[in-house]
Amino acid sequence: MLRKENTEFVEGPTQRTLPGRAFERPLQAVLIDGPHAFPFPQLEYYYLYPHIASDGLLILDDIHIRTINQLYRFLCADKMFELIEVVERTAFFRRTTAPVFDPFGDGWWLQSYNRKRLSRYIWREILMSSMPQQVRALLRKSRAAVRSGLSPRERYLIQIDLPPQNSVVDETAIVQGRADLPSGACLWLFARRADSSGWWPQGRCVTVSDNRWQQACKFGEVSDAGYAFDIAAMTTDERGQRRILRWFDEGARSVTWGPIDLPKPVAGSGVVTTRVFRRAD
């Protein structure tokens, strides 16, 4: 039975009413069944999810519609919610005790739904990383030989000497190597946990002196102890440099530094990688 004395009706499109709504206490049950066009279901979720109490219900109706099914699949993967049941085309979720995802940050790579990126856009990188180091080295040499035959000036050496392949490292380590850079190019060092698909730049453009270089490299956070990490060294042109520098600037503004795809290397050079293992605590 409806208790009118405890009920408040707010009329109008949720696109207008929810952004200005102040919730005075945690919500025990939330039903998302408003406008179905993109991105309005996601907009409703954005303004409601920070206020749902632990063990509270989130009910998502009409999951047969693609825009809402996308939100449904996201919730199924998210740590904040546990799928209880799907009744016909309505999904019932329970709010877990996981911390609230920062509604004013980014951190997209921390969300389980985003951990596996779409392979059709990064299949070359996935294919190369799945090959043994010896095979990758052979392919790089073959590619360099072909390019050298076409233009002797387009062949540049990049090498990682330390740390050795499959060695054990601490949270940070000095990576050393050799490089013969084309004019105007910049050497960059990247790292990532081996089960990730994106990369994190390690500092700014690396200084190369007498064809030698070294750069400090950080291998994740405390929770990444014991995992394998990939290191990549490559050269970029001015366009690639601007893209990486923009990543630094945007990260400084938002205080979040998510992974990026590797930029295109300078013609005549490639991406040199090696794998290490972070010491287990």
Side-chain angles (χ1 to χ4, degrees), residues 40-222:
F40 304 132
Q42 289 80 355
L43 183 70
E44 290 180 320
Y45 173 76
Y46 173 78
Y47 285 107
L48 290 168
Y49 86 85
H51 307 288
I52 302 176
S54 296
D55 288 326
L57 282 177
L58 172 61
I59 306 168
L60 186 63
D61 195 30
D62 294 328
I63 62 174
H64 65 294
I65 298 174
R66 291 177 67 91
T67 52
I68 302 172
N69 188 266
Q70 181 191 58
L71 178 57
Y72 164 74
R73 288 184 285 112
F74 171 84
L75 292 171
C76 286
D78 198 76
K79 294 180 179 179
M80 290 194 301
F81 293 95
E82 176 187 12
L83 179 64
I84 301 174
E85 186 179 7
V86 175
V87 179
E88 294 184 355
R89 52 193 190 187
T90 303
F92 294 81
F93 293 89
R94 181 185 67 85
R95 175 69 169 91
T96 68
T97 57
V100 175
F101 183 78
D102 184 1
F104 302 109
D106 188 359
W108 59 266
W109 62 94
L110 301 175
Q111 295 176 313
S112 301
Y113 185 74
N114 289 323
R115 288 207 178 134
K116 187 175 182 180
R117 290 190 281 171
L118 298 176
S119 59
R120 63 178 176 267
Y121 297 107
I122 56 173
W123 64 269
R124 290 185 180 86
E125 183 179 332
I126 295 174
L127 179 62
M128 288 296 292
S129 63
S130 66
M131 294 180 180
Q133 176 70 14
Q134 295 85 347
V135 175
R136 281 182 280 170
L138 179 61
L139 288 175
R140 285 195 297 270
K141 289 180 180 178
S142 300
R143 187 166 58 245
V146 171
R147 287 174 174 169
S148 178
L150 294 175
S151 175
R153 294 173 296 176
E154 294 186 345
R155 186 177 182 180
Y156 305 103
L157 168 72
I158 305 175
Q159 187 169 322
I160 298 175
D161 297 327
L162 294 174
Q165 173 83 0
N166 295 326
S167 61
V168 177
V169 297
D170 294 319
E171 179 182 359
T172 59
I174 300 297
V175 180
Q176 300 180 7
R178 287 171 283 176
D180 176 22
L181 302 185
S183 176
C186 185
L187 178 67
W188 294 90
L189 189 70
F190 302 83
R192 69 174 181 187
R193 216 171 81 171
D195 57 357
S196 301
S197 53
W199 295 84
W200 279 263
Q202 301 296 302
R204 305 286 174 146
C205 183
V206 180
T207 300
V208 179
S209 179
D210 294 330
N211 292 341
R212 294 277 182 176
W213 60 268
Q214 67 175 28
Q215 176 68 35
C217 186
K218 185 175 185 294
F219 302 103
E221 307 298 335
V222 175

Side-chain angles (χ1 to χ4, degrees), residues 192-196 224-230 275-278:
R192 69 174 181 187
R193 216 171 81 171
D195 57 357
S196 301
D224 298 311
Y227 283 90
F229 276 81
D230 291 327
R275 178 164 292 184
V276 296
F277 294 85
R278 176 166 167 176

